[in-house]
Amino acid sequence: MKIIKIDKKNWASGLEDLAGSYRLFGPAKEEEFHNFKALDQGVLPDLTCLNTRLSPKSLIYPQSEVMFEYSLDESQEDHHIMKEVDKDYSPRAVIGIRPCDVKAFLLVRKNFDSPEYRDPYWIRAYEATTFVGLACEAPCNTCFCTTAGCGPYHEEGLDLLLMDAGDNFLVKVITDKGEKLLADAGWDTEVNTDEAAKQIEAKKQAAEAKISSFVTADRLKEMDTVELYSAPFWEEVAFACINCGTCTYVCPTCWCFDIQDENRGRSGMRMRNWDSCMYPLFTLHGSGHNPRDTKIQRVRQRFMHKLKYYVEKYDNGIQCVGCGRCVRLCPVNIDIRRVCYMMNSYGTSDNTCAA
Amino acid sequence: MLSYIDKIRETSARLLKDCSVEMVIGFRKGTVPMMNEPHFAKTAEAVDKLVWDSNCGINLANYLTNRQEKIGIIAKGCDSRNIVTHIIENKIKREQLIIIGVPCSGMIDKRKINAMLDGEINDVVEDENNITVKGNDFEKILNKRDVLQQNCAVCIHRNPVIYDELVADLVEEQEGVDRYADVRSIEAMSSEEKWKYFDDLLSNCIRCYACRNACPLCYCPTCFVDESRPQWVGKSQDPTDVRTFHFLRAYHCAGRCTDCGACERACPVGINMRVFTKKLEKDCLELFGWEAGMSADVRPPLDTYKPGDPDDFIK
Ligand code: SF4
Ligand code: SF4
Ligand code: SF4
Ligand code: SF4
């Protein structure tokens, strides 16, 4: 294991050097909240950000992404032929991303990069990216990462893990990609590994001890799908939901999209846009039939997908990293922790939730 | 308002026990500070979960649309006006409802309170006039009047306009409120300034449609933005489509919007789309002397024609 120390005085200049070989992205505050943005020359990522309002998934998987262009002008030889659009897959680096949000890319990868299907856009963007994570020293009270397969110092999916240590950052080098970024930035002060490792372990434990919110998901996998699907609690869970889709749009692990052609004049483009299982249109068939045309069915789909179908299909834990965004932003306070509890304890005597 | 809860539970339990209603729609305590969740009670025992405080800003009329059973519903001023609108628009029948009226002193603005404090809020406690906000290393007492939702601060119908039961004495209505200062300041802008103002206003919109879905007026079986045969509005983040959604939605609320604030409250990125509906509300008041949802016996100006209707705007 290799640990590097960056004097904060060298932070800005290192980033400036990086700007030559990477497109940089990081949290930036605009008015009342942070989001991930491309960092203009000389702009530093705002590392005071607890976490961004929207997840960083759009860096790899934009809300609207053009895939093809075409002409409808029949005087053109190539009319009605789909042509790939040029995209920028040059190296990019995301600075200050939280461990949960990086872990989320690994969950999403199961969908975009599987033995059956390989999504070229997602994969190329993902592979072009170096992830410089920032460990959480003060997790939010709605973060439940430690029981959702990651944690404030979790390293899976990261190339470098940055930790705030007063006048310095400590940086744990995790991959070769990370190593390369350090070299490009000229950050090369190695520190005594044993000592630093101890310091990091202590910080990690302190951060984990601050997590105050948890889920239990141990029974979900073995439970009978049909029984869970038919459980009577869905009416209660779904009652307040307004099917707005906020939960799925802000979620780093939601991946569903819809493909649309948009024409303007005699040309057009084929694009994909985020979609959400909370929307009636999501499952509307061409015939007009909608197999999920009630709110209860849609709400159930979201939770069953995240907490049962995914768990069963991939044997990779729940499709949630515990970032807490949906908990904080659902306008009617539908709380996945509460629903997870109801599902996980269904059929035991212990299924009235105290949350 | 905290004192209302006993009366709310007692009334709800009575209505459920004597079978006057099959369910009572109200709120249960939320899992995060300054949030409550719309909830129903179907048995007299279940009413213990119902709560009432300054975090009940969601408009419960939204939960009545096309329901068939007999329902008890807890209604503050704005909810009651949207219930009236629902009755006028045949979305629910008056006979189906027992309206449990709640005189309101305003709901607090979670976003505003969050923005006033640096750290994360762990707990919020209220009494009649004050809101005490606690975090890891701070505790602050705020005057409730200073942290009301914008629409509550300028509300002139805090008491329910229609009810069968009342949980407390009516409150005094706010007098001398300037409801339209924000609209006037936009009206005074040049076209270019307006364009820029609206562009900035909508620049963060992710078109999740939370604003639409939180709104009790937006009950169309298929919203125009979801229409696919033909498709009127594109689905990408193209600013024209974002604008089309907002402008058209606002027009669909003309003469119907009660300025309950549900839309603004629901938005995950803090957009004040209420400025659109407020302009229409102001026009309805000035042109037709109309305030939405005040009486189930009067047809709204936009679905009636009178020879004396103003027509100065036709150029
Ligand atoms: S954010 Fe809440 S109300 Fe909106 S769709 Fe998700 S669960 Fe339903
Ligand atoms: S389901 Fe909610 S808590 Fe889990 S990853 Fe998605 S937004 Fe975060
Ligand atoms: S929860 Fe819904 S929107 Fe999210 S990935 Fe699953 S099906 Fe798609
Ligand atoms: S709730 Fe906010 S982000 Fe969502 S569509 Fe409405 S204005 Fe846009």
Side-chain angles (χ1 to χ4, degrees):
Chain A
M1 180 177 47
K2 187 166 160 190
I3 299 171
I4 297 284
K5 186 167 87 176
I6 306 176
D7 189 324
K8 285 189 183 167
K9 282 191 221 121
N10 300 329
W11 179 241
S13 58
L15 286 175
E16 212 164 288
D17 289 345
L18 283 182
S21 35
Y22 294 87
R23 287 192 292 144
L24 298 180
F25 297 86
K29 189 165 187 182
E30 39 172 45
E31 287 166 41
E32 52 173 311
F33 52 81
H34 289 86
N35 269 329
F36 277 90
K37 290 268 152 70
L39 299 172
D40 292 333
Q41 190 73 40
V43 177
L44 297 177
D46 182 353
L47 302 184
T48 63
C49 163
L50 273 178
N51 211 349
T52 49
R53 178 67 57 98
L54 305 178
S55 87
K57 74 174 165 190
S58 58
L59 297 177
I60 305 297
Y61 169 44
Q63 178 164 5
S64 292
E65 178 169 28
V66 179
M67 300 184 293
F68 302 101
E69 288 169 339
Y70 49 81
S71 165
L72 300 172
D73 180 354
E74 297 194 3
S75 68
Q76 304 276 323
E77 212 168 292
D78 60 356
H79 71 89
H80 290 93
I81 293 178
M82 294 279 171
K83 287 182 296 186
E84 274 214 59
V85 295
D86 281 339
K87 293 202 196 180
D88 186 352
Y89 292 116
S90 62
R92 32 179 126 165
V94 186
I95 317 286
I97 188 171
R98 294 296 186 182
C100 57
D101 287 338
V102 174
K103 169 77 192 256
F105 287 118
L106 299 182
L107 303 195
V108 169
R109 183 172 199 162
K110 298 267 174 210
N111 179 59
F112 286 123
D113 184 7
S114 73
E116 298 126 299
Y117 304 104
R118 301 196 77 225
D119 183 294
Y121 313 105
W122 190 92
I123 291 175
R124 290 181 68 188
Y126 180 74
E127 286 176 349
T129 308
T130 304
F131 294 102
V132 182
L134 178 66
C136 300
E137 311 296 345
C140 305
N141 52 23
T142 38
C143 293
F144 54 100
C145 50
T146 49
T147 44
C150 52
Y153 274 63
H154 200 75
E155 293 168 21
E156 240 183 312
L158 276 174
D159 299 300
L160 295 169
L161 177 62
L162 217 64
M163 288 151 269
D164 194 324
D167 294 336
N168 304 303
F169 291 114
L170 286 176
V171 188
K172 197 163 176 182
V173 185
I174 300 164
T175 65
D176 294 345
K177 251 184 174 177
E179 185 104 49
K180 174 167 183 313
L181 183 137
L182 286 175
D184 288 347
W187 292 319
D188 55 5
T189 317
E190 272 192 62
V191 294
N192 177 315
T193 312
D194 286 348
E195 212 174 284
K198 262 192 220 136
Q199 191 185 350
I200 293 172
E201 187 55 33
K203 283 166 73 66
K204 176 180 175 189
Q205 283 180 12
E208 282 176 358
K210 286 190 195 148
I211 298 281
S212 56
S213 164
F214 312 95
V215 291
T216 316
D218 57 326
R219 292 182 70 241
L220 293 170
K221 183 157 170 251
E222 84 223 26
M223 280 171 106
D224 185 84
T225 306
V226 178
E227 254 176 53
L228 209 49
Y229 182 92
S230 334
F233 58 65
W234 293 116
E235 185 194 0
E236 187 197 318
V237 170
F239 178 75
C241 177
I242 57 172
N243 270 172
C244 66
T246 297
C247 48
T248 54
Y249 273 25
V250 300
C251 177
T253 71
C254 272
W255 59 49
C256 290
F257 60 81
D258 176 38
I259 292 179
Q260 294 266 325
D261 289 354
E262 284 195 4
N263 299 338
R264 193 162 289 183
R266 318 229 61 190
S267 63
M269 49 200 182
R270 175 161 294 181
M271 47 172 44
R272 70 164 167 199
N273 304 299
W274 292 352
D275 202 353
S276 167
C277 58
M278 303 312 260
Y279 299 152
L281 212 58
F282 187 75
T283 45
L284 184 65
H285 292 183
S287 67
H289 172 64
N290 193 341
R292 256 184 240 144
D293 69 347
T294 66
K295 171 165 90 175
I296 295 182
Q297 290 170 319
R298 295 192 283 273
V299 173
R300 175 173 58 197
Q301 162 62 23
R302 168 167 172 245
F303 291 112
M304 285 294 277
H305 185 218
K306 288 195 169 298
L307 303 174
K308 178 62 183 163
Y309 307 144
Y310 183 93
V311 176
E312 217 167 85
K313 179 166 178 189
Y314 299 110
D315 196 12
N316 183 47
I318 54 178
Q319 188 204 7
C320 165
V321 290
C323 73
R325 285 188 180 85
C326 60
V327 176
R328 292 190 289 276
L329 290 170
C330 171
V332 298
N333 190 218
I334 290 177
D335 190 327
I336 190 168
R337 298 170 298 176
R338 172 138 67 178
V339 180
C340 187
Y341 185 91
M342 288 171 110
M343 289 172 70
N344 196 64
S345 59
Y346 184 58
T348 68
S349 54
D350 184 32
N351 62 356
T352 43
C353 181
Chain B
M1 289 202 294
L2 296 178
S3 53
Y4 296 175
I5 192 54
D6 291 338
K7 192 70 193 294
I8 288 178
R9 288 183 187 149
E10 183 191 305
T11 311
S12 305
R14 168 166 48 80
L15 297 173
L16 284 163
K17 242 186 238 160
D18 68 16
C19 300
S20 323
V21 298
E22 287 159 64
M23 68 175 355
V24 173
I25 298 179
F27 288 90
R28 72 169 160 183
K29 184 158 172 39
T31 59
V32 292
M34 298 181 281
M35 282 300 274
N36 287 325
E37 180 184 350
H39 189 64
F40 61 80
K42 288 192 174 176
T43 62
E45 293 71 48
V47 303
D48 288 345
K49 283 218 175 145
L50 297 178
V51 295
W52 191 266
D53 58 25
S54 304
N55 306 304
C56 297
I58 292 157
N59 192 327
L60 291 182
N62 203 19
Y63 294 90
L64 291 177
T65 311
N66 295 336
R67 289 201 84 104
Q68 300 302 320
E69 60 272 72
K70 285 215 71 175
I71 299 169
I73 180 152
I74 300 175
K76 51 191 183 294
C78 51
D79 304 53
S80 75
R81 291 173 64 199
N82 280 98
I83 292 172
V84 167
T85 304
H86 253 39
I87 294 168
I88 292 178
E89 297 177 0
N90 298 320
K91 288 291 112 188
I92 194 86
K93 293 195 187 73
R94 179 67 182 95
E95 318 71 90
Q96 269 174 276
L97 299 178
I98 296 192
I99 301 168
I100 306 170
V102 177
C104 181
S105 60
M107 295 294 150
I108 57 174
D109 185 338
K110 179 179 172 209
R111 199 167 282 134
K112 185 167 183 185
I113 294 177
N114 274 320
M116 287 166 81
L117 296 155
D118 270 340
E120 203 191 3
I121 296 169
N122 293 331
D123 195 19
V124 173
V125 192
E126 64 175 284
D127 59 29
E128 280 314 299
N129 301 312
N130 293 316
I131 309 286
T132 308
V133 185
K134 297 179 197 164
N136 281 338
D137 43 16
F138 62 86
E139 180 165 329
K140 196 161 176 183
I141 298 177
L142 304 168
N143 189 331
K144 179 170 157 179
R145 294 182 64 94
D146 299 334
V147 293
L148 287 178
Q149 279 184 192
Q150 272 184 39
N151 64 304
C152 298
V154 295
C155 173
I156 50 172
H157 298 292
R158 293 179 150 184
N159 290 305
V161 299
I162 180 175
Y163 53 84
D164 303 297
E165 306 265 348
L166 205 56
V167 303
D169 294 338
L170 296 178
V171 293
E172 218 175 291
E173 296 291 0
Q174 306 194 99
E175 300 283 342
V177 178
D178 180 3
R179 283 190 56 73
Y180 302 113
D182 50 351
V183 180
R184 282 197 312 271
S185 75
I186 300 171
E187 285 171 343
M189 292 177 188
S190 68
S191 300
E192 293 75 31
E193 286 167 340
K194 278 183 193 156
W195 192 249
K196 165 138 191 359
Y197 178 85
F198 294 138
D199 261 3
D200 287 348
L201 182 75
L202 300 178
S203 65
N204 276 333
C205 178
I206 54 171
R207 264 211 290 162
C208 59
Y209 303 137
C211 47
R212 173 194 73 184
N213 289 19
C215 174
L217 305 174
C218 284
Y219 52 64
C220 291
T222 308
C223 176
F224 71 95
V225 294
D226 290 336
E227 218 35 276
S228 49
R229 285 180 298 187
Q231 182 170 325
W232 305 109
V233 187
K235 302 267 181 217
S236 72
Q237 289 301 93
D238 188 308
T240 307
D241 293 318
V242 176
R243 277 182 218 128
T244 305
F245 161 61
H246 280 285
F247 296 165
L248 255 77
R249 187 187 89 85
Y251 277 111
H252 288 181
C253 300
R256 306 164 66 219
C257 173
T258 60
D259 199 32
C260 71
C263 48
E264 187 184 356
R265 193 185 163 91
C267 177
V269 292
I271 293 171
N272 176 14
M273 72 301 282
R274 267 176 56 243
V275 295
F276 299 127
T277 40
K278 273 188 88 188
K279 161 68 176 157
L280 294 164
E281 189 199 305
K282 175 171 175 279
D283 286 354
C284 282
L285 186 66
E286 286 171 357
L287 296 170
F288 302 99
W290 172 258
E291 285 181 293
M294 297 302 289
S295 160
D297 304 322
V298 191
R299 293 307 305 180
L302 272 87
D303 68 40
T304 44
Y305 169 73
K306 294 204 190 82
D309 281 347
D311 55 11
D312 305 344
F313 57 90
I314 302 173
K315 302 245 161 74

